[in-house]
């Protein structure tokens, strides 16, 4: 067996992967099992890999192994390509970005990203961006009242005025970081504000639909403050990536204190009598928007599980 080097995947496009080791970037090809869809064979920005370095006659290295991931962000993509897709791996702090206006805050989408982030074992911060656009603070207080009790820190930011950006910068300490969220919420703009040298492409939000234009098209790690940050493309859908519906409730931190008190075990917290989670929703201890998100995702996973066995 030849010499192997260990490196960090900084970019994945089509069939080529860039691996950084010792300050040098080696372009690598994806061969054999690494072209399969199974997530242990997928390669994403942030993965640590073993590479057979290029020989004199070839200019590309070859990836030989992917090391186990500490954390990851993934989503389930539906359709013919139905599979869990890893977006970024080994993230130290994941910044989940939403905008308070233009586009308007989507509780549903935010919950989906948060659940996927929980399922991938991530340390999470929420960035509520574009606060320069709101005069009325009600929307912000409402969002805070739902997410702060769950234990998530919320950073109020504006990529335009720079407000709150230092709070993000202070958390960047030489590790791997990532921003994720819908198209147009300002992920690339925030990163440019932290480090103008990044010079990331920024898009416009369509006036009619309030939607972003998918300006960032693939995940890539950029050097930042002695570490790396991944800018990710805004995604239209964010399917729950977990294996089964039994893993879903633990991705809702506010369910944890109640889940053990349900009359039936296991309890899906949907139709069962004597469900402590449902009771907590009725008593206002769990936000109804969060419970609705849970039920939507549960239905989705149930449909997926059924189609797998028939
Ligand atoms: N007013 C205001 N506009 C912002 C702010 N952040 C971003 N924008 C604008 O929102 C639009 C979209 O910003 P991007 O940074 O491209 O958004 P993105 O999340 O990277 O979008 P994708 O790459 O498509 O996923 C641009 O017109 C930005 O100038 C902000 O804090 N305040
Ligand atoms: Mg972008
Ligand atoms: Zn229950």
């Amino acid at each position: 067996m030849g010499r192997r080097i260990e490196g960090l995947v900084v970019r994945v496009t089509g069939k080529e992967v860039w691996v950084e080791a010792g300050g040098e970037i080696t372009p690598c090809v994806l061969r054999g099992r690494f072209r399969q869809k199974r997530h242990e064979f997928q390669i994403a920005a942030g993965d640590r890999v073993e590479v057979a370095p290029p020989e004199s006659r070839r200019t590309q290295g070859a990836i030989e192994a992917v090391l186990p991931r500490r954390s990851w962000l993934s989503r389930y993509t539906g359709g013919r390509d139905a599979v869990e897709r890893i977006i970024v791996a080994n993230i130290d702090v994941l910044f989940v970005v939403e905008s308070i206006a233009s586009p308007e805050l989507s509780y549903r989408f935010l919950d989906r990203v948060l659940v996927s982030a929980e399922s991938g074992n991530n340390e999470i911060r929420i960035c509520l961006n574009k606060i320069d656009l709101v005069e009325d603070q009600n929307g912000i207080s409402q969002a805070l009242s739902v997410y702060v009790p769950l234990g998530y820190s919320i950073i109020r930011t504006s990529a335009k005025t720079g407000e709150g950006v230092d709070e993000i910068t202070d958390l960047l300490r030489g590790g791997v970081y990532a921003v994720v969220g819908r198209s147009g919420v300002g992920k690339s703009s925030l990163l440019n504000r932290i480090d103008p040298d990044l010079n990331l492409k920024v898009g416009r939000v369509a006036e009619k639909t309030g939607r972003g234009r998918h300006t960032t098209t693939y995940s890539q790690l950029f050097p930042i403050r002695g570490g790396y940050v991944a800018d990710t493309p805004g995604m239209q859908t964010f399917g729950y990536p977990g294996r089964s519906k039994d893993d879903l409730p633990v991705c809702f931190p506010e369910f944890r204190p109640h889940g053990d008190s349900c009359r039936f075990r296991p309890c899906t917290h949907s139709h069962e009598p004597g469900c402590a989670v449902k009771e907590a929703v009725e008593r206002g201890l769990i936000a109804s928007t969060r419970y609705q998100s849970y039920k939507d995702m549960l239905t989705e996973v149930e449909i997926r599980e059924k189609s797998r066995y028939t």
Side-chain angles (χ1 to χ4, degrees):
M1 200 171 67
R3 194 167 67 90
R4 280 183 180 191
I5 47 174
E6 193 191 313
L8 172 72
V9 174
V10 293
R11 173 171 157 163
V12 182
T13 53
K15 287 182 181 122
E16 196 179 66
V17 176
W18 289 6
V19 178
E20 203 250 41
E24 250 179 72
I25 299 225
T26 306
C28 296
V29 282
L30 280 186
R31 289 200 306 229
R33 65 185 188 284
F34 295 114
R35 292 172 66 175
Q36 294 181 19
K37 286 185 190 166
R38 278 168 54 189
H39 79 129
E40 58 269 40
F41 296 126
Q42 286 179 33
I43 292 174
D47 265 326
R48 310 240 25 136
V49 292
E50 287 181 355
V51 168
E55 290 157 10
S56 52
R57 271 172 296 125
R58 311 190 255 124
T59 54
Q60 286 179 309
I63 292 178
E64 303 281 349
V66 184
L67 305 183
R69 300 176 177 119
R70 281 181 288 120
S71 60
W72 62 92
L73 176 69
S74 65
R75 66 174 183 143
Y76 182 86
T77 60
R80 260 199 302 167
D81 192 35
V83 71
E84 176 188 3
R85 281 270 164 219
I86 314 280
I87 303 163
V88 185
N90 302 316
I91 307 164
D92 289 295
V93 180
L94 174 64
F95 297 94
V96 176
V97 185
E98 252 297 333
S99 55
I100 193 75
S102 178
E104 224 172 85
L105 197 153
S106 163
Y107 284 88
R108 217 38 81 70
F109 199 87
L110 178 55
D111 287 342
R112 286 179 167 276
V113 177
L114 288 172
V115 163
S116 303
E118 288 282 349
S119 142
N121 201 25
N122 292 288
E123 166 87 26
I124 299 166
R125 295 286 182 285
I126 299 175
C127 296
L128 214 46
N129 193 35
K130 307 203 187 186
I131 51 160
D132 57 285
L133 293 179
V134 287
E135 278 153 28
D136 170 16
Q137 299 294 306
N138 270 342
I140 297 178
S141 334
Q142 200 183 340
L144 294 178
S145 72
V146 174
Y147 295 99
V148 171
L150 312 188
Y152 296 126
S153 309
I154 301 194
I155 309 176
R156 283 169 262 191
T157 62
S158 166
K160 194 169 176 195
T161 66
E163 199 173 336
V165 171
D166 284 351
E167 271 185 72
I168 301 178
T169 311
D170 286 347
L171 291 164
L172 308 179
R173 299 178 174 194
V176 172
Y177 307 90
V179 291
V180 60
R182 284 181 303 155
S183 182
V185 295
K187 300 178 293 297
S188 302
S189 303
L190 280 171
L191 297 182
N192 282 340
R193 187 84 199 198
I194 294 167
D195 183 355
D197 289 341
L198 287 175
N199 207 4
L200 301 170
K201 214 165 125 194
V202 162
R204 272 212 233 123
V205 173
E207 262 174 44
K208 265 197 192 149
T209 59
R211 284 207 188 141
R213 296 179 180 199
H214 299 278
T215 307
T216 306
T217 49
Y218 48 83
S219 309
Q220 178 169 353
L221 294 189
F222 299 96
I224 198 165
R225 297 178 68 83
Y228 295 89
V229 69
D231 191 11
T232 66
M235 314 198 178
Q236 227 133 28
T237 59
F238 225 101
Y240 167 68
R243 292 293 150 80
S244 94
K245 65 171 190 265
D246 304 334
D247 301 330
L248 187 60
V250 293
C251 297
F252 286 76
E254 72 270 49
F255 288 14
R256 289 171 202 159
H258 306 287
D260 287 343
S261 316
C262 297
R263 190 184 306 159
F264 295 97
R265 305 267 296 275
C267 179
T268 66
H269 314 310
S270 55
H271 58 272
E272 297 88 342
C275 169
V277 168
K278 265 199 300 188
E279 213 168 275
V281 177
E282 276 151 30
R283 291 171 53 204
L285 299 172
I286 291 176
S288 55
T289 55
R290 294 275 298 169
Y291 185 60
Q292 192 55 51
S293 291
Y294 170 73
K295 285 213 295 193
D296 289 350
M297 279 181 250
L298 180 70
T299 308
E300 216 173 87
V301 187
E302 280 172 343
I303 292 171
R304 208 193 293 163
E305 282 181 348
K306 261 183 214 143
S307 69
R308 199 175 295 155
Y309 298 120
T310 50

